[in-house]
Amino acid sequence: MQQKVNRLKPFFENLNFEREDNTMVVNFGPQHPSAHGQLRLILELQGEEIVKAVPSVGYLHRGMEKMGENMMYNEFLPTTDRMDYIASTSNNYGFALAVEKLLGIEAPRRAEIIRTMLLELNRIISHLFWLATHALDVGAMSIFLYAFREREFAMDLMEDYCGARLTHSAVRIGGVPLDLPASWCEDLEKFLKILSEEVDKYEGLLTENRIWRMRLENVGIITPELAKSWGCSGVALRGSGFKWDLRKEMPYGIYPELDFEIPYANTCDAYGRYKCYMQEMRESSKILRQLISMYKTSEPQLMAHAPEYISAPKEDIMTQNYSLMQHFVLVTQGMRPPKGEVYVATESPKGELGFMIVSDGSPYAYKMKLRAPSFWHTGLLEDLLPGHQLADVVTLIGNLNIVFGEIDR
């Protein structure tokens, strides 16, 4: 018990719970629905104004990094779905890309096109979820229903491809497991047409809405210096005037061939970040339309050819003895990457998602560390919240788009 008290001491050493002045200390979470997960915020209040904020994490007890060190590489891939479970494909892809760099292999062109389609579709799904829940936190009910409606259509497309709606496991180390269904591209084009019209309606409801602007404008100012000091990424960084996106600055996959813009804002407030999210959905739609054309002219190879690490196609496994034996060894004993260390960062819907893997040549990672954007953005609350009103806490937690599945790793 004494060890637990000592471990938590940094959270409380500057907080005095027995006071004789007009300030008080309250707990926000970890059960509060607007905490967007198992976040405990210890807030010191002077009336309605926040004087001090201490974010406390660790209530989810996930142990993802240790699980990654005790599971074979292919076994761990579905577990990455459960990190940012709102955008699971981005986790799958980031991990697969890191292992591929470790192995020294590349996915075929068609596989990379399909992966990027799933990534951008999942980015739209994540942004729609953010818009719906953020607006609901602020008090806008209708937009919650509308954004979830379009999100369901996008999730139908994911389900048509991989059979799952939330935790997709739609990417494999070395490529993708399936080609697109026959009419999938046509269905995607229909969805993008609907989404384009609906995003305009969302902005019609919110952008010039005086209550929405009062709640977001000049609230949650993240100065460029604050953004850099806390390691912000994604919209939290771009909303502070930095035109930084890993898809452009450190391009990977098929992104160097795509034409798209990076939305950013100079206002540094919650309203500027909202406008970035809205424009990002339009840019993802633009990317998807380009990918449809690229897909139709690509060769139908879905997995890299690397028998030492990647199983042969199912037809070969069922008809060729050597392919069957190789598949059996890979499934039961796992691949054995060369010894080495890699760090691969990708632009997830929430920011920079990085996987660091150290290999000792065994089927298990010797060391694995995950760089999740929500972790840094939660720490930012310590400097962001003081000076705001208690009602702004819910607004800013929602605006920063944090998910605790990737924080308590």
Side-chain angles (χ1 to χ4, degrees):
M1 182 63 184
Q2 185 63 37
Q3 289 181 347
K4 183 176 181 182
V5 171
N6 290 338
R7 191 168 66 250
L8 293 175
K9 187 177 179 182
F11 289 119
F12 307 114
E13 58 186 5
N14 295 322
L15 289 169
N16 182 8
F17 287 87
E18 296 185 13
R19 321 181 70 90
E20 296 179 359
D21 54 17
N22 290 328
T23 64
M24 63 177 175
V25 176
V26 298
N27 281 300
F28 185 95
Q31 304 89 2
H32 197 292
S34 294
H36 289 267
Q38 286 67 37
L39 168 64
R40 180 189 180 193
L41 267 179
I42 306 168
L43 301 174
E44 185 176 327
L45 302 175
Q46 178 78 46
E48 288 284 318
E49 184 180 341
I50 299 163
V51 178
K52 184 179 180 63
V54 181
S56 175
V57 301
Y59 291 87
L60 206 51
H61 308 297
R62 310 208 78 192
M64 286 282 183
E65 293 169 340
K66 283 302 173 188
M67 290 171 69
E69 295 169 9
N70 288 277
M71 301 171 77
M72 291 186 292
Y73 290 96
N74 281 318
E75 283 183 317
F76 181 63
L77 193 141
T79 308
T80 62
D81 284 336
R82 278 77 183 168
M83 290 170 53
D84 178 6
Y85 38 80
I86 306 302
S88 58
T89 296
S90 62
N91 309 323
N92 297 157
Y93 181 76
F95 176 69
L97 205 61
V99 177
E100 287 163 11
K101 184 176 180 180
L102 191 63
L103 300 176
I105 64 175
E106 291 184 3
R109 181 173 176 80
R110 174 166 286 198
E112 205 59 69
I113 291 170
I114 294 173
R115 285 170 159 192
T116 312
M117 283 180 160
L118 300 178
L119 283 172
E120 293 306 316
L121 184 61
N122 210 180
R123 191 181 306 277
I124 291 171
I125 290 172
S126 177
H127 285 6
L128 287 171
F129 185 91
W130 168 85
L131 176 65
T133 54
H134 180 34
L136 189 65
D137 285 343
V138 176
M141 183 69 188
S142 297
I143 195 71
F144 170 82
L145 301 173
Y146 300 152
F148 257 62
R149 177 187 60 196
E150 271 63 67
R151 179 173 174 266
E152 285 295 311
F153 294 152
M155 291 171 71
D156 287 343
L157 288 166
M158 295 297 302
E159 185 177 20
D160 288 344
Y161 175 73
C162 65
R165 299 175 67 79
L166 192 68
T167 51
H168 304 137
S169 298
V171 174
R172 296 289 183 274
I173 297 169
V176 291
L178 302 165
D179 205 348
L180 296 179
S183 62
W184 199 85
C185 287
E186 289 74 15
D187 293 339
L188 176 59
E189 287 178 323
K190 292 176 185 176
F191 167 72
L192 294 177
K193 185 176 184 300
I194 294 171
L195 181 69
S196 176
E197 298 169 355
E198 296 304 324
V199 170
D200 290 342
K201 292 178 183 178
Y202 303 157
E203 289 203 297
L205 283 169
L206 294 178
T207 303
E208 298 302 327
N209 184 301
R210 63 187 181 89
I211 299 175
W212 181 253
R213 295 186 66 165
M214 287 170 62
R215 294 297 304 274
L216 268 65
E217 283 187 320
N218 298 314
V219 172
I221 301 290
I222 304 176
T223 63
E225 294 73 24
L226 189 62
K228 288 191 289 185
S229 68
W230 276 101
C232 291
S233 57
V235 174
L237 181 65
R238 294 190 286 275
S240 296
F242 294 97
K243 197 175 181 180
W244 178 269
D245 189 305
L246 293 175
R247 295 172 294 172
K248 286 282 192 182
E249 303 299 330
M250 302 170 64
Y252 50 89
I254 212 80
Y255 283 111
E257 302 178 38
L258 298 170
D259 176 32
F260 62 100
E261 299 298 322
I262 305 301
Y264 71 103
N266 290 312
T267 56
C268 304
D269 60 1
Y271 189 72
R273 293 189 287 274
Y274 150 74
K275 296 187 82 171
C276 285
Y277 274 110
M278 301 305 288
Q279 190 57 34
E280 278 197 8
M281 285 193 276
R282 294 189 174 96
E283 292 300 320
S284 290
S285 298
K286 181 178 172 182
I287 290 172
L288 285 165
R289 290 190 178 95
Q290 296 172 62
L291 290 168
I292 292 172
S293 300
M294 296 169 70
Y295 170 80
K296 293 176 180 177
T297 58
S298 61
E299 295 295 325
Q301 185 183 352
L302 300 177
M303 292 292 289
H305 180 71
E308 188 179 356
Y309 307 120
I310 308 295
S311 290
K314 187 173 182 179
E315 294 79 4
D316 293 348
I317 294 171
M318 300 298 288
T319 57
Q320 299 177 16
N321 191 39
Y322 176 77
S323 296
L324 176 62
M325 291 189 296
Q326 173 241 356
H327 174 70
F328 178 80
V329 170
L330 285 173
V331 170
T332 56
Q333 299 181 21
M335 66 176 74
R336 294 177 179 269
K339 293 182 180 180
E341 178 179 328
V342 296
Y343 175 77
V344 172
T346 57
E347 188 72 29
S348 83
K350 293 171 178 59
E352 180 182 335
L353 175 65
F355 285 83
M356 191 275 281
I357 303 174
V358 179
S359 169
D360 60 357
S362 73
Y364 305 89
Y366 175 75
K367 192 71 176 175
M368 185 179 295
K369 294 296 287 183
L370 313 180
R371 196 270 184 209
S374 293
F375 180 78
W376 306 97
H377 299 160
T378 301
L380 173 68
L381 293 170
E382 181 178 323
D383 287 339
L384 189 63
L385 291 180
H388 287 87
Q389 299 296 302
L390 182 61
D392 295 326
V393 173
V394 176
T395 299
L396 291 177
I397 292 174
N399 189 260
L400 286 176
N401 198 9
I402 57 177
V403 165
F404 268 74
E406 68 175 15
I407 292 175
D408 292 340
R409 302 182 302 283

